[in-house]
Amino acid sequence: MAEKPSVLIIGGLGYIGRFLAHYIHENQLASDVRIVDKVLPQLAWLPKEFEEACAGAKFVQADASREQSLPRIFDRADGKPWDYVFNCGGETRYSQEDEVYKLRSLDLSLNIGREAAKRGVKCFVELSTGMVYKPDSAPSKENDKLKPWSKIAVFKLQAEEELAKIEGLNLVIVRLAHVYGPYASQWVATALCMARVYKALESEMKWLWTKDLRTNTVHIHDAVRALWAVAAWYDAGKANWDAAAAGSPVPTFNVVDKGVTTQGVMADIIGEVFGIETGFQGQLVSTFAKLNLDSVVDDVNDELLGPWADLLAEAGITRPGPLTPFMEKELLKDTDLSMDGSRLEQVVGFTYEKPKITKELIEEVIESYKRMNWWP
């Protein structure tokens, strides 16, 4: 086991963290793994298949945004540093106060980044988001113009920039598209919950803006494979990395499937899965929505939350898990999430095993909800 790397996963019970831990565990990739999270496994809606990889002696409860937690997070019995540190932590909820993102995302990243540099960690992988790019339907490459369009992205970009200044930090930055897959509780989950309500109401699910709006995706299976691939690549000497050509000394990679997911693609898949009519609101309503986004979102949420609660009650679901049709304003903007993932393939030699979102993959997500008794 000695030659396998030791791995520390911050935010290891979050959606990406738990799948990363599970992937490492299943494939026996590490000599030692530690999962750090401020939430206890018992409270993290952890499906059965994750328990072995994420709980027990591997788990340490700690808040990485607090400096006094760092020794508990980083110290090992043998006194050696961790080889790979993955920062899957940070605030993932939308529409929070700036102070929340500063503390839970930016401060957390900088705390563990400084500590990783001090302790000589071989590779520190920082998870960021494709929402840092200036929105454009043309796919953004890693060195394209940056103009973050969600609060999460504003603070993630600050973290990227500040981490890059830390002396001696072996940093890789990974910018993710919308991550979906079994047990997903964000972006795709919201759309599925909404569709479930529209099916119950026997009404058409109409989307704002246009069918061409880019909502690029990556399956969780490929997302965590990519995280491991970049860490191993960095550790092995960063083959094919040309900092001058890349325009940055810090290796940065977009992780996004090859499917060019748009709202139209999602509408078609959801229509098929649920057997409902889907369509788009048209120019007039979309223009009105642009000017009155707050009230439009509030109306949609008012319309859907009651029927969703009724569906749960009818199904006898008392602990509905993290699913809700509640629509976040920040995600309903008329902004393209459009990314080019070719650098990861060319430089690291990565290949996607789930290259595009499909009806079958979405049905798999719903099946996972049923297993957890979250789905009405």
Side-chain angles (χ1 to χ4, degrees), residues 326-347:
F326 183 83
M327 177 54 86
E328 289 288 357
K329 283 191 272 292
E330 283 194 286
L331 279 186
L332 203 63
K333 288 179 178 167
D334 183 13
T335 40
D336 289 284
L337 180 65
S338 181
M339 301 162 69
D340 179 320
S342 56
R343 178 188 282 183
L344 180 68
E345 296 176 279
Q346 288 156 6
V347 175

PDB file of all heavy atoms in Angstrom, residues 326-347:
ATOM      1  N   PHE A 326     -38.393  24.266  -5.203  1.00  0.00           N
ATOM      2  CA  PHE A 326     -38.121  25.691  -4.961  1.00  0.00           C
ATOM      3  C   PHE A 326     -37.076  26.200  -5.952  1.00  0.00           C
ATOM      4  O   PHE A 326     -35.976  25.666  -6.052  1.00  0.00           O
ATOM      5  CB  PHE A 326     -37.626  25.894  -3.526  1.00  0.00           C
ATOM      6  CG  PHE A 326     -37.392  27.344  -3.179  1.00  0.00           C
ATOM      7  CD1 PHE A 326     -38.443  28.153  -2.770  1.00  0.00           C
ATOM      8  CD2 PHE A 326     -36.123  27.903  -3.273  1.00  0.00           C
ATOM      9  CE1 PHE A 326     -38.233  29.501  -2.458  1.00  0.00           C
ATOM     10  CE2 PHE A 326     -35.903  29.246  -2.971  1.00  0.00           C
ATOM     11  CZ  PHE A 326     -36.970  30.039  -2.559  1.00  0.00           C
ATOM     12  N   MET A 327     -37.447  27.224  -6.680  1.00  0.00           N
ATOM     13  CA  MET A 327     -36.580  27.750  -7.741  1.00  0.00           C
ATOM     14  C   MET A 327     -35.738  28.915  -7.219  1.00  0.00           C
ATOM     15  O   MET A 327     -36.267  29.868  -6.664  1.00  0.00           O
ATOM     16  CB  MET A 327     -37.487  28.217  -8.893  1.00  0.00           C
ATOM     17  CG  MET A 327     -36.781  28.860 -10.045  1.00  0.00           C
ATOM     18  SD  MET A 327     -35.458  27.871 -10.743  1.00  0.00           S
ATOM     19  CE  MET A 327     -36.340  26.862 -11.891  1.00  0.00           C
ATOM     20  N   GLU A 328     -34.415  28.808  -7.404  1.00  0.00           N
ATOM     21  CA  GLU A 328     -33.504  29.868  -6.963  1.00  0.00           C
ATOM     22  C   GLU A 328     -33.377  30.940  -8.040  1.00  0.00           C
ATOM     23  O   GLU A 328     -33.095  30.621  -9.197  1.00  0.00           O
ATOM     24  CB  GLU A 328     -32.117  29.274  -6.683  1.00  0.00           C
ATOM     25  CG  GLU A 328     -32.044  28.401  -5.447  1.00  0.00           C
ATOM     26  CD  GLU A 328     -32.139  29.194  -4.156  1.00  0.00           C
ATOM     27  OE1 GLU A 328     -32.209  30.437  -4.213  1.00  0.00           O
ATOM     28  OE2 GLU A 328     -32.150  28.557  -3.097  1.00  0.00           O
ATOM     29  N   LYS A 329     -33.540  32.202  -7.620  1.00  0.00           N
ATOM     30  CA  LYS A 329     -33.419  33.310  -8.578  1.00  0.00           C
ATOM     31  C   LYS A 329     -32.086  33.264  -9.323  1.00  0.00           C
ATOM     32  O   LYS A 329     -32.023  33.499 -10.513  1.00  0.00           O
ATOM     33  CB  LYS A 329     -33.527  34.651  -7.857  1.00  0.00           C
ATOM     34  CG  LYS A 329     -34.950  35.019  -7.495  1.00  0.00           C
ATOM     35  CD  LYS A 329     -35.048  36.454  -7.040  1.00  0.00           C
ATOM     36  CE  LYS A 329     -34.814  36.616  -5.560  1.00  0.00           C
ATOM     37  NZ  LYS A 329     -35.868  36.038  -4.721  1.00  0.00           N
ATOM     38  N   GLU A 330     -31.025  32.988  -8.591  1.00  0.00           N
ATOM     39  CA  GLU A 330     -29.691  33.030  -9.209  1.00  0.00           C
ATOM     40  C   GLU A 330     -29.552  32.025 -10.341  1.00  0.00           C
ATOM     41  O   GLU A 330     -28.768  32.206 -11.256  1.00  0.00           O
ATOM     42  CB  GLU A 330     -28.611  32.754  -8.162  1.00  0.00           C
ATOM     43  CG  GLU A 330     -28.344  33.943  -7.268  1.00  0.00           C
ATOM     44  CD  GLU A 330     -27.053  33.781  -6.478  1.00  0.00           C
ATOM     45  OE1 GLU A 330     -27.030  32.984  -5.518  1.00  0.00           O
ATOM     46  OE2 GLU A 330     -26.064  34.443  -6.834  1.00  0.00           O
ATOM     47  N   LEU A 331     -30.317  30.927 -10.261  1.00  0.00           N
ATOM     48  CA  LEU A 331     -30.225  29.899 -11.298  1.00  0.00           C
ATOM     49  C   LEU A 331     -31.198  30.147 -12.434  1.00  0.00           C
ATOM     50  O   LEU A 331     -31.157  29.474 -13.447  1.00  0.00           O
ATOM     51  CB  LEU A 331     -30.492  28.521 -10.688  1.00  0.00           C
ATOM     52  CG  LEU A 331     -29.302  27.890  -9.973  1.00  0.00           C
ATOM     53  CD1 LEU A 331     -29.640  26.481  -9.544  1.00  0.00           C
ATOM     54  CD2 LEU A 331     -28.072  27.866 -10.879  1.00  0.00           C
ATOM     55  N   LEU A 332     -32.077  31.121 -12.240  1.00  0.00           N
ATOM     56  CA  LEU A 332     -33.093  31.372 -13.261  1.00  0.00           C
ATOM     57  C   LEU A 332     -32.721  32.557 -14.141  1.00  0.00           C
ATOM     58  O   LEU A 332     -33.522  33.047 -14.914  1.00  0.00           O
ATOM     59  CB  LEU A 332     -34.450  31.615 -12.585  1.00  0.00           C
ATOM     60  CG  LEU A 332     -35.671  31.343 -13.466  1.00  0.00           C
ATOM     61  CD1 LEU A 332     -35.715  29.885 -13.871  1.00  0.00           C
ATOM     62  CD2 LEU A 332     -36.945  31.719 -12.756  1.00  0.00           C
ATOM     63  N   LYS A 333     -31.480  33.016 -14.028  1.00  0.00           N
ATOM     64  CA  LYS A 333     -31.058  34.135 -14.859  1.00  0.00           C
ATOM     65  C   LYS A 333     -30.936  33.674 -16.312  1.00  0.00           C
ATOM     66  O   LYS A 333     -30.696  32.509 -16.594  1.00  0.00           O
ATOM     67  CB  LYS A 333     -29.695  34.638 -14.389  1.00  0.00           C
ATOM     68  CG  LYS A 333     -29.749  35.371 -13.063  1.00  0.00           C
ATOM     69  CD  LYS A 333     -28.344  35.803 -12.668  1.00  0.00           C
ATOM     70  CE  LYS A 333     -28.361  36.575 -11.369  1.00  0.00           C
ATOM     71  NZ  LYS A 333     -27.019  36.738 -10.821  1.00  0.00           N
ATOM     72  N   ASP A 334     -31.056  34.648 -17.193  1.00  0.00           N
ATOM     73  CA  ASP A 334     -30.901  34.388 -18.625  1.00  0.00           C
ATOM     74  C   ASP A 334     -29.406  34.375 -18.949  1.00  0.00           C
ATOM     75  O   ASP A 334     -28.906  35.215 -19.689  1.00  0.00           O
ATOM     76  CB  ASP A 334     -31.638  35.491 -19.395  1.00  0.00           C
ATOM     77  CG  ASP A 334     -31.597  35.271 -20.896  1.00  0.00           C
ATOM     78  OD1 ASP A 334     -31.214  34.166 -21.306  1.00  0.00           O
ATOM     79  OD2 ASP A 334     -31.939  36.202 -21.636  1.00  0.00           O
ATOM     80  N   THR A 335     -28.670  33.431 -18.359  1.00  0.00           N
ATOM     81  CA  THR A 335     -27.221  33.386 -18.551  1.00  0.00           C
ATOM     82  C   THR A 335     -26.800  31.984 -18.986  1.00  0.00           C
ATOM     83  O   THR A 335     -27.262  30.989 -18.434  1.00  0.00           O
ATOM     84  CB  THR A 335     -26.471  33.738 -17.245  1.00  0.00           C
ATOM     85  OG1 THR A 335     -27.167  33.128 -16.157  1.00  0.00           O
ATOM     86  CG2 THR A 335     -26.387  35.206 -17.008  1.00  0.00           C
ATOM     87  N   ASP A 336     -25.896  31.952 -19.940  1.00  0.00           N
ATOM     88  CA  ASP A 336     -25.410  30.663 -20.444  1.00  0.00           C
ATOM     89  C   ASP A 336     -24.313  30.101 -19.550  1.00  0.00           C
ATOM     90  O   ASP A 336     -23.364  30.815 -19.204  1.00  0.00           O
ATOM     91  CB  ASP A 336     -24.803  30.849 -21.840  1.00  0.00           C
ATOM     92  CG  ASP A 336     -25.849  31.134 -22.900  1.00  0.00           C
ATOM     93  OD1 ASP A 336     -26.535  30.183 -23.293  1.00  0.00           O
ATOM     94  OD2 ASP A 336     -25.966  32.303 -23.331  1.00  0.00           O
ATOM     95  N   LEU A 337     -24.447  28.827 -19.188  1.00  0.00           N
ATOM     96  CA  LEU A 337     -23.329  28.100 -18.599  1.00  0.00           C
ATOM     97  C   LEU A 337     -22.805  27.220 -19.726  1.00  0.00           C
ATOM     98  O   LEU A 337     -23.374  26.175 -20.041  1.00  0.00           O
ATOM     99  CB  LEU A 337     -23.770  27.250 -17.409  1.00  0.00           C
ATOM    100  CG  LEU A 337     -22.638  26.457 -16.732  1.00  0.00           C
ATOM    101  CD1 LEU A 337     -21.627  27.399 -16.091  1.00  0.00           C
ATOM    102  CD2 LEU A 337     -23.170  25.491 -15.703  1.00  0.00           C
ATOM    103  N   SER A 338     -21.754  27.705 -20.382  1.00  0.00           N
ATOM    104  CA  SER A 338     -21.287  27.084 -21.617  1.00  0.00           C
ATOM    105  C   SER A 338     -19.776  26.939 -21.545  1.00  0.00           C
ATOM    106  O   SER A 338     -19.058  27.933 -21.487  1.00  0.00           O
ATOM    107  CB  SER A 338     -21.690  27.977 -22.791  1.00  0.00           C
ATOM    108  OG  SER A 338     -21.278  27.414 -24.002  1.00  0.00           O
ATOM    109  N   MET A 339     -19.288  25.702 -21.510  1.00  0.00           N
ATOM    110  CA  MET A 339     -17.868  25.474 -21.235  1.00  0.00           C
ATOM    111  C   MET A 339     -17.244  24.530 -22.251  1.00  0.00           C
ATOM    112  O   MET A 339     -17.895  23.642 -22.779  1.00  0.00           O
ATOM    113  CB  MET A 339     -17.710  24.871 -19.832  1.00  0.00           C
ATOM    114  CG  MET A 339     -18.263  25.742 -18.722  1.00  0.00           C
ATOM    115  SD  MET A 339     -18.528  24.817 -17.192  1.00  0.00           S
ATOM    116  CE  MET A 339     -16.842  24.464 -16.695  1.00  0.00           C
ATOM    117  N   ASP A 340     -15.950  24.717 -22.470  1.00  0.00           N
ATOM    118  CA  ASP A 340     -15.174  23.853 -23.354  1.00  0.00           C
ATOM    119  C   ASP A 340     -14.282  22.973 -22.477  1.00  0.00           C
ATOM    120  O   ASP A 340     -13.453  23.478 -21.732  1.00  0.00           O
ATOM    121  CB  ASP A 340     -14.329  24.739 -24.279  1.00  0.00           C
ATOM    122  CG  ASP A 340     -13.459  23.942 -25.231  1.00  0.00           C
ATOM    123  OD1 ASP A 340     -12.892  22.903 -24.816  1.00  0.00           O
ATOM    124  OD2 ASP A 340     -13.313  24.359 -26.391  1.00  0.00           O
ATOM    125  N   GLY A 341     -14.452  21.666 -22.570  1.00  0.00           N
ATOM    126  CA  GLY A 341     -13.701  20.747 -21.706  1.00  0.00           C
ATOM    127  C   GLY A 341     -12.522  20.073 -22.378  1.00  0.00           C
ATOM    128  O   GLY A 341     -11.972  19.103 -21.861  1.00  0.00           O
ATOM    129  N   SER A 342     -12.096  20.592 -23.536  1.00  0.00           N
ATOM    130  CA  SER A 342     -11.082  19.858 -24.318  1.00  0.00           C
ATOM    131  C   SER A 342      -9.698  19.841 -23.657  1.00  0.00           C
ATOM    132  O   SER A 342      -8.931  18.904 -23.853  1.00  0.00           O
ATOM    133  CB  SER A 342     -10.990  20.423 -25.736  1.00  0.00           C
ATOM    134  OG  SER A 342     -10.730  21.803 -25.702  1.00  0.00           O
ATOM    135  N   ARG A 343      -9.368  20.867 -22.847  1.00  0.00           N
ATOM    136  CA  ARG A 343      -8.030  20.895 -22.238  1.00  0.00           C
ATOM    137  C   ARG A 343      -7.801  19.650 -21.367  1.00  0.00           C
ATOM    138  O   ARG A 343      -6.732  19.046 -21.419  1.00  0.00           O
ATOM    139  CB  ARG A 343      -7.830  22.166 -21.404  1.00  0.00           C
ATOM    140  CG  ARG A 343      -6.471  22.191 -20.713  1.00  0.00           C
ATOM    141  CD  ARG A 343      -6.322  23.342 -19.719  1.00  0.00           C
ATOM    142  NE  ARG A 343      -6.061  24.614 -20.397  1.00  0.00           N
ATOM    143  CZ  ARG A 343      -5.840  25.754 -19.740  1.00  0.00           C
ATOM    144  NH1 ARG A 343      -5.893  25.778 -18.406  1.00  0.00           N
ATOM    145  NH2 ARG A 343      -5.609  26.876 -20.395  1.00  0.00           N
ATOM    146  N   LEU A 344      -8.800  19.279 -20.588  1.00  0.00           N
ATOM    147  CA  LEU A 344      -8.673  18.117 -19.705  1.00  0.00           C
ATOM    148  C   LEU A 344      -8.377  16.851 -20.518  1.00  0.00           C
ATOM    149  O   LEU A 344      -7.559  16.017 -20.129  1.00  0.00           O
ATOM    150  CB  LEU A 344      -9.968  17.934 -18.900  1.00  0.00           C
ATOM    151  CG  LEU A 344      -9.999  16.766 -17.917  1.00  0.00           C
ATOM    152  CD1 LEU A 344      -9.033  16.994 -16.759  1.00  0.00           C
ATOM    153  CD2 LEU A 344     -11.407  16.553 -17.375  1.00  0.00           C
ATOM    154  N   GLU A 345      -9.039  16.739 -21.664  1.00  0.00           N
ATOM    155  CA  GLU A 345      -8.834  15.558 -22.512  1.00  0.00           C
ATOM    156  C   GLU A 345      -7.454  15.585 -23.157  1.00  0.00           C
ATOM    157  O   GLU A 345      -6.745  14.567 -23.180  1.00  0.00           O
ATOM    158  CB  GLU A 345      -9.933  15.498 -23.582  1.00  0.00           C
ATOM    159  CG  GLU A 345     -11.325  15.302 -22.979  1.00  0.00           C
ATOM    160  CD  GLU A 345     -12.422  15.340 -24.026  1.00  0.00           C
ATOM    161  OE1 GLU A 345     -12.825  16.453 -24.415  1.00  0.00           O
ATOM    162  OE2 GLU A 345     -12.857  14.268 -24.455  1.00  0.00           O
ATOM    163  N   GLN A 346      -7.068  16.748 -23.662  1.00  0.00           N
ATOM    164  CA  GLN A 346      -5.797  16.838 -24.385  1.00  0.00           C
ATOM    165  C   GLN A 346      -4.587  16.753 -23.448  1.00  0.00           C
ATOM    166  O   GLN A 346      -3.628  16.045 -23.742  1.00  0.00           O
ATOM    167  CB  GLN A 346      -5.749  18.148 -25.187  1.00  0.00           C
ATOM    168  CG  GLN A 346      -6.687  18.122 -26.388  1.00  0.00           C
ATOM    169  CD  GLN A 346      -7.092  19.519 -26.841  1.00  0.00           C
ATOM    170  OE1 GLN A 346      -6.589  20.525 -26.342  1.00  0.00           O
ATOM    171  NE2 GLN A 346      -8.025  19.584 -27.783  1.00  0.00           N
ATOM    172  N   VAL A 347      -4.642  17.473 -22.332  1.00  0.00           N
ATOM    173  CA  VAL A 347      -3.469  17.557 -21.452  1.00  0.00           C
ATOM    174  C   VAL A 347      -3.369  16.355 -20.515  1.00  0.00           C
ATOM    175  O   VAL A 347      -2.303  15.755 -20.353  1.00  0.00           O
ATOM    176  CB  VAL A 347      -3.490  18.878 -20.629  1.00  0.00           C
ATOM    177  CG1 VAL A 347      -2.354  18.922 -19.628  1.00  0.00           C
ATOM    178  CG2 VAL A 347      -3.404  20.078 -21.572  1.00  0.00           C
TER     179      VAL A 347
END
